[in-house]
Amino acid sequence: GLYLVGTNGQVYNYQPDTQRLVSQPNAWDQKNLEVVNFKGQSLILKDDNKIYIQTGSNVQPWSATDKSYAGLVTVPLYDAFEVVKE
């Protein structure tokens, strides 16, 4: 889903069907710069430029890398080479 973070750290869930913002109970961790969902897991880029993985309420360094990063992006993959027999 789409979540918006207010300047005060309040988190809102955007509901496209009703075009409403619904306030969420937890405040945003201001150390989180970017969050993406990758293969069902939440990956978080924090202000120390390291990537963390979140499982439930547990956040740990992501074991796939220990390097520093400036951004975290997911890109949809398309099957551009599908062959259709007519």
Side-chain angles (χ1 to χ4, degrees), residues 36-50:
V36 299
N37 187 355
F38 179 70
K39 295 187 177 182
Q41 300 176 321
S42 293
L43 298 178
I44 304 168
L45 177 65
K46 290 189 172 277
D47 62 0
D48 63 357
N49 295 78
K50 302 287 184 183

Side-chain angles (χ1 to χ4, degrees), residues 48-60:
D48 63 357
N49 295 78
K50 302 287 184 183
I51 298 175
Y52 295 80
I53 187 166
Q54 181 172 356
T55 306
S57 61
N58 186 18
V59 178
Q60 302 216 7

Side-chain angles (χ1 to χ4, degrees), residues 14-75:
Y14 176 69
Q15 298 181 344
D17 295 341
T18 60
Q19 296 188 358
R20 292 184 56 221
L21 294 175
V22 178
S23 179
Q24 302 298 295
N26 298 328
W28 181 255
D29 182 346
Q30 296 297 329
K31 293 180 183 181
N32 295 347
L33 300 178
E34 298 176 22
V35 179
V36 299
N37 187 355
F38 179 70
K39 295 187 177 182
Q41 300 176 321
S42 293
L43 298 178
I44 304 168
L45 177 65
K46 290 189 172 277
D47 62 0
D48 63 357
N49 295 78
K50 302 287 184 183
I51 298 175
Y52 295 80
I53 187 166
Q54 181 172 356
T55 306
S57 61
N58 186 18
V59 178
Q60 302 216 7
W62 192 30
S63 62
T65 183
D66 61 354
K67 299 185 185 310
S68 294
Y69 296 91
L72 185 62
V73 179
T74 60
V75 178

